[in-house]
């Protein structure tokens, strides 16, 4: 029998319960050892988020199981596998986590048992229910998870499932595989990226409006009076500031606003470098100061990704205001829906920015040639300023909370600190609903057909054919090629028909259908799909499992930016490309 | 002919997997599920706790056991019907020679170190067995196919040098945290490990900077240098042994007395931009009892210890290590630094930071020092899964006789703006100058033959740099055996400089590694200390460079016919920029631009590789197909 352990009442928004930086209780040493190599990528707080995540896999086929395996190993909190099928011989040919000896047993049970063995710290569970049945009987079950992965789930079921999850802000990853090809798609109404981990972040130095303490420190440095050792170990930040001030004095106090002006500052710095005779041309720090003009002297402006968050918060508060102004009692109830921590933080950030004209300081310094004492002194100045910003931010946050009747400490301190530290790189990631995504706009379809008219196989054709396969299944109760009949040409013909109908459906509202390219799929693609008969090639599943688990971990940790486009993997040409 | 199904192809093939770690485990799984039945797997390593987050065939109870053997057992426990042979052994062993490799249809590399990769590369070339090479680091990875004479071999492009630091920087004038960490690791070996004369930690009185003011004078060195180092090494350890490894006296010697001694070499500290160290005070070194770092695991790992805390950790680490050292089974036995060993890592972290404090260098947390000391590369299950999937897909193409479909695939950390996380490239062509797979491999060795000893030629040039395992060296035309791989035959030559054998400029040395079936001609270019152009850089004893003349000759002779069919696409590509390499093989490169379903016209150079002489840096090894 299946076991249902999920506390279905736990339907809190996963955003509020996002564990990022919740409490920095440390990992016990054995875990720190076991997870050492991954902690270096996502940190202890990332690990905590993973350990608090609850993942649901629907479809214990090869891709699904491989994906889950890669989440069980790094220590996801718990998983549930849902699948009503029984283990077949074919499963053994594609899925490692089933056994020949257990053919006929529930697939979900066998996979869950074998996956559970991989990590004793992970709780694993399974359900034998049919998806369509459970969706009707107990929709609340699905919204109790932090992430749902649907592998090989039929289109009609996906529509119902994704509508449900989309409304409740549970991210969904959809994957389909046919032989050497596989598609994947993230469906998330709102996903917040706490730590984007940009490759080359610009330094956060506030040179436009320098910190008073920093100014005092720089003023106390007399470059001309320094001996050569001190001179060549002065941090570039100090040098840059001094020559920037010089330039500003000569230019009515303005901050360099373009390339030419930044180069002018650079020239000034060069003129201050000491001659070769004195120093063997060894002043690395001065060279650093010169190259830093391109990154440290950019005029500060609000990053568009952050501006988007401000708008999001504004909209929420505006709607809230409108609702509380109107007197309808039912709407009053809606108005009482509390904003998520994220919205509270974004609202506060907007307020901070309005008052201060800048985002909270991150409090870290880039690398620079320097003696330790001055580097540490500078670092402390920026750290103190960042701490002060954090204090001010927290004060504003309390006001925001109290203002709408929430307790002043609604957001945990570590979450606030993480938010402030990454303020410049915060990001909202969103996709359309699956319903929309799986029915591309007629213009998009027309464009894709046109573009691929000459080029032959393309990600779009495969995607279209995948959907046609689904329609084929609806009519015939099996996938094309999934038959003992050796002659699958009949299937190919039927599939071609389905594909044509589908393309026409997708183009339906477009007036000039004729403008689009051909709507009948290339023969070789049709045959290839029929030849696969939806068989799963294990290495392709392993590949896709690696990618999907990586995306899943991004979603769970709020670290790194997940891919939002529908992607197609073609293992023959080794390409992974967006479908549209 | 009827095309065989992938499963048929797989079941008829004999495959060797080298490495049973992160990629190896995934690979073994992929192979058995894909229908491979005759699999051999070899790995020298044993299982560590930190493997368990990704090497899914291993469990806690397997820690300490052989990776290869456990991997095999685990796979079979899943009820998989495969004939797996597991070797808990080093692939460098003599028994895994050409005959062994010839017994496979394909070899898959899932290794973590370069020496073994080089070795396997050579054996596959010698046995003419196709090879799929792969690697991963954090979110990054790569898979490529190597076939003798058709594609580049693993050593066709210059490999990124493993970072090394001049001995005098480590011993006398550290300026970065890593210098202190390297020093601390050396110190560990000097005290408890297999002492290596190249890893001395005591102040170096032969620092070139100390020699006369004339900067054209090279390091004073002669045949007796090795002997001198020998005696210095003896002093470091014997000094410690004589004091019974007393932590207090060690602290005082290393971080006060030795620093004071360094200060007496005043020339070192007059150099502009250099900062003289400060010996640690008795107060710092005598640290009172309450100086222990936080007992809490996280804090202990992540906080930066004060000097007093470092002393505390140092004392208790030395106590543990000296006990272990005393309990070793034989006098020849020694301790090996292991970053995952608590006491060894404590020792290195505390010693490195104490040295950093003395030299005014930023101290780091134990967590950070561990990453530096252990060359830790982050590793996760997801990347390995992707890479292992790619390996089997490429291997099947080779085995199915479709090698033209093979790709060199790069895995990126983030999706490319144009939407790809994997970047497929045409397989690179052989480098005609390659010192491994060229028809007559040769390199030029720049050195001072009056200084470089035969022993150094064997150990540092042939073994360490050129990855030979058991080299023989003969002076061409004279029948003189300089180095023999047979034990005891030529050992008396080891301390002698090359010049003692009449080896001077243009001398030709025939080097041969029978195990690798690898022959290499080394031509000596005597570095002239008097000529600034010809002089070796400070702290460098030799340089390996390609011979330009012979290189050009080879390049002209390179057959253009080996190139894959030319691009069929008529689209204009920005290819000019990459066609100016000195080989003048623009045609061949153009031919590499296979047609793909591409959506932009950009060609990118993933890496600008250097040939052995480092001169042809514009020569791209990889052309993106986009």
């Amino acid at each position: 029998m299946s076991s249902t352990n999920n506390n279905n009442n736990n339907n809190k928004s996963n955003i509020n319960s996002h564990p990022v930086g919740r409490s920095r209780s440390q990992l016990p040493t054995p875990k720190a050892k076991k997870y050492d190599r991954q902690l270096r990528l996502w940190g202890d707080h990332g690990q905590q988020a993973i350990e608090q995540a609850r993942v649901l896999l629907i479809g214990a086929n090869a891709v699904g199981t491989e994906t889950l395996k890669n989440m069980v190993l790094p220590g996801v909190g718990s998983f549930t596998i849902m699948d009503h099928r029984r283990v077949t011989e074919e499963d053994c040919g594609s899925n490692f986590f089933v056994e020949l000896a257990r053919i006929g047993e529930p697939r979900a049970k066998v996979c869950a048992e074998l996956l559970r063995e991989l990590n004793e710290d992970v709780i694993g569970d399974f359900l034998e229910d049919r998806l369509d049945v459970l969706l009707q009987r107990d929709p609340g079950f699905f919204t109790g998870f932090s992430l749902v992965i649907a592998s090989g789930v039929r289109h009609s079921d996906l529509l119902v499932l994704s509508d449900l999850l989309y409304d409740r802000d549970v991210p969904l990853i959809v994957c389909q595989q046919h032989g050497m090809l596989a598609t994947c798609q993230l469906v998330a109404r709102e996903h917040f990226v706490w730590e984007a981990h940009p490759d080359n972040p610009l330094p956060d130095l506030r040179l436009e409006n320098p910190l008073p303490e920093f100014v005092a420190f720089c003023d106390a440095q007399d470059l001309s009076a320094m001996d050569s050792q001190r001179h060549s170990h002065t941090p570039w930040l100090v040098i840059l500031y001094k020559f920037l001030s010089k330039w500003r004095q000569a230019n009515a106090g303005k901050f360099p606003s373009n390339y030419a002006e930044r180069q002018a500052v650079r020239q000034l710095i060069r003129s201050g470098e000491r001659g070769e005779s004195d120093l063997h041309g060894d002043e690395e720090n001065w060279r650093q100061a010169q190259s830093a003009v391109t990154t440290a002297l950019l005029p500060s402006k609000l990053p568009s990704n952050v501006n988007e968050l401000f708008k999001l918060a504004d909209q929420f508060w505006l709607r809230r205001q409108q609702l509380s102004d109107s007197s309808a009692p039912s709407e009053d109830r809606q108005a009482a829906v509390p904003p998520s921590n994220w919205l509270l933080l974004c609202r506060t950030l907007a307020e901070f920015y309005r008052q201060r004209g800048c985002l909270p300081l991150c409090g870290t310094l880039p690398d620079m040639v320097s003696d330790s004492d001055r580097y540490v002194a500078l670092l402390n100045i920026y750290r103190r300023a960042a701490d002060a910003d954090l204090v001010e931010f927290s004060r504003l946050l309390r006001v925001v909370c109290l203002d709408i009747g929430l307790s002043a400490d609604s957001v945990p301190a570590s979450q606030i600190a993480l938010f402030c530290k990454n303020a410049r790189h915060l990001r909202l990631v969103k996709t359309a609903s699956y319903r929309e995504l799986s029915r591309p706009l007629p213009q998009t379809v027309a464009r894709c057909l046109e573009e691929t008219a000459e080029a032959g196989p393309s990600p779009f054709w495969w995607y279209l054919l995948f959907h046609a396969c689904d329609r084929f299944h609806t009519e015939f109760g099996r996938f094309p090629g999934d038959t003992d009949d050796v002659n699958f040409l009949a299937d190919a013909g039927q599939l071609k028909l389905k594909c044509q109908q589908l393309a026409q459906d997708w183009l339906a509202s477009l007036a000039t259908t004729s403008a689009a390219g051909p709507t009948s799929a290339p023969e070789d693609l049709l045959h290839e799909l029929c030849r696969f008969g939806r068989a799963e090639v294990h290495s392709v599943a392993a590949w896709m499992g690696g990618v999907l688990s990586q995306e899943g971990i991004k979603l769970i940790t709020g670290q790194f930016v997940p891919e939002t486009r529908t992607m197609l993997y073609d293992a023959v040409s080794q390409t992974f490309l967006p479908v549209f | 002919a009827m095309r065989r199904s992938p499963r048929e192809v797989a079941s008829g093939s004999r495959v060797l997997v080298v490495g049973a770690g992160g990629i190896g485990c995934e690979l073994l799984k992929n192979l058995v599920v894909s229908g491979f039945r005759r699999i051999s797997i070899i790995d020298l390593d044993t299982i560590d706790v930190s493997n368990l987050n990704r090497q899914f065939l291993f469990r806690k109870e397997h820690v300490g056991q052989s990776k290869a053997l456990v991997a095999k057992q685990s796979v079979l426990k899943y009820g998989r019907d495969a004939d797996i042979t597991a070797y808990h052994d080093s692939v460098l062993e003599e028994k895994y020679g050409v005959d062994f490799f010839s017994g496979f249809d394909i070899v898959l590399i899932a290794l973590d170190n370069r020496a073994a990769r080089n070795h396997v590369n050579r054996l596959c070339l010698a046995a003419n067995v196709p090879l799929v090479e792969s690697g991963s680091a954090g979110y990054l990875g790569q898979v490529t196919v190597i076939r003798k004479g058709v594609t580049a071999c693993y050593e066709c492009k210059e490999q990124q040098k493993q970072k090394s630091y001049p001995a005098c920087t480590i011993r006398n004038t550290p300026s970065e945290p890593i210098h202190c960490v390297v020093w601390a690791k050396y110190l560990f070996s000097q005290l408890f490990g297999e002492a290596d004369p190249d890893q001395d930690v005591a102040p170096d009185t032969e620092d070139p900077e100390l020699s006369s003011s004339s900067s054209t004078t090279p390091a004073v060195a002669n045949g007796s240098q090795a002997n001198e180092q020998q005696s210095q090494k003896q002093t470091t350890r014997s000094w410690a042994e004589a004091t019974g490894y007393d932590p207090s006296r060690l602290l005082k010697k290393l971080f006060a007395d030795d620093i004071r001694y360094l200060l007496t070499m005043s020339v070192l500290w007059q150099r502009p931009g250099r900062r003289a160290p400060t010996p640690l005070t008795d107060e710092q070194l005598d640290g009172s009892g309450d100086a222990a770092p936080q007992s809490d695991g996280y804090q202990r790992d992540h906080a930066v210890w004060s000097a007093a805390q470092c002393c505390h950790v140092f004392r208790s680490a030395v106590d543990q290590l000296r006990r272990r050292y005393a309990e070793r089974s034989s006098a020849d036995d020694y301790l090996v630094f292991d970053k995952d060993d608590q006491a060894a890592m404590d020792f290195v972290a505390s010693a490195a930071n104490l040295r950093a404090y003395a030299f005014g260098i930023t101290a780091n947390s134990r967590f950070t020092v561990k990453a530096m000391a252990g060359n830790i590369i982050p590793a996760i299950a997801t990347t390995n899964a992707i890479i292992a999937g790619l390996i089997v897909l490429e291997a099947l193409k080779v085995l199915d006789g479709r090698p033209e479909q093979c790709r060199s695939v790069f895995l990126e950390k983030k999706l490319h703006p144009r939407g790809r996380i994997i970047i497929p490239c045409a397989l690179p062509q052989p480098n005609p100058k390659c010192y491994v797979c060229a028809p007559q491999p040769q390199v030029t060795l720049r050195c001072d033959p009056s200084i470089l000893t035969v022993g150094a030629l064997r150990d540092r040039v042939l073994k360490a740099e050129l990855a030979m395992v058991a080299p023989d060296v003969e002076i061409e035309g004279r029948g003189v055996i300089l180095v023999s791989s047979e034990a005891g035959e030529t050992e008396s030559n080891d301390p002698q400089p090359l010049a003692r054998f009449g080896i001077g400029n243009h001398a030709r040395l025939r080097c041969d590694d029978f195990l690798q079936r690898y022959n290499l001609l080394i031509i000596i270019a005597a570095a002239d200390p008097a000529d600034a152009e010809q002089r070796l850089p400070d702290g460098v004893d030799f340089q390996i460079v390609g011979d330009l003349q012979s290189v050009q000759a080879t390049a002209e002779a390179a057959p253009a016919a080996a190139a894959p069919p030319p691009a069929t696409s008529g689209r204009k590509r920005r290819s000019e920029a990459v066609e100016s390499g000195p080989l003048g093989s623009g045609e061949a490169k153009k031919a590499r631009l296979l047609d793909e379903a591409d959506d932009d016209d950009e060609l990118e150079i993933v890496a600008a590789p250097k040939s052995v002489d480092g001169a042809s840096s514009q020569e791209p090894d990889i052309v993106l197909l986009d």
Side-chain angles (χ1 to χ4, degrees), chain A residues 470-489:
Chain A
D470 193 279
R471 284 200 174 186
F472 184 106
H473 190 285
T474 307
E475 185 169 337
F476 300 103
R478 60 175 178 86
F479 283 101
D482 189 7
T483 162
D484 293 334
D485 190 354
V486 196
N487 183 2
F488 50 67
L489 282 180

Side-chain angles (χ1 to χ4, degrees), chain A residues 156-182:
Chain A
S156 51
D157 288 342
L158 276 175
L159 289 174
V160 182
L161 174 71
S162 68
D163 282 351
L164 173 69
L165 297 177
Y166 196 73
D167 276 352
R168 306 303 291 264
D169 270 331
V170 179
L172 168 70
I173 293 176
V174 177
C175 176
Q176 308 287 358
Q177 183 187 358
H178 289 264
M180 300 291 278
L181 300 148

Side-chain angles (χ1 to χ4, degrees), chain A residues 438-514:
Chain A
S438 58
R439 197 192 163 92
L441 293 173
Q443 299 91 306
T444 311
V445 176
R447 175 175 57 77
C448 289
L449 288 173
E450 221 168 319
E451 279 174 8
T452 57
E454 293 148 36
S458 72
F460 176 76
W461 270 121
W462 286 121
Y463 182 75
L464 187 66
L465 278 164
F466 275 30
H467 275 275
C469 284
D470 193 279
R471 284 200 174 186
F472 184 106
H473 190 285
T474 307
E475 185 169 337
F476 300 103
R478 60 175 178 86
F479 283 101
D482 189 7
T483 162
D484 293 334
D485 190 354
V486 196
N487 183 2
F488 50 67
L489 282 180
D491 277 5
Q494 278 297 333
L495 184 61
K496 186 174 185 172
L497 211 62
K498 293 272 166 290
C499 189
Q500 241 158 354
Q501 287 167 359
L502 189 63
Q504 293 303 333
D505 284 358
W506 282 358
L507 286 166
S509 62
L510 201 66
T512 54
T513 310
S514 56

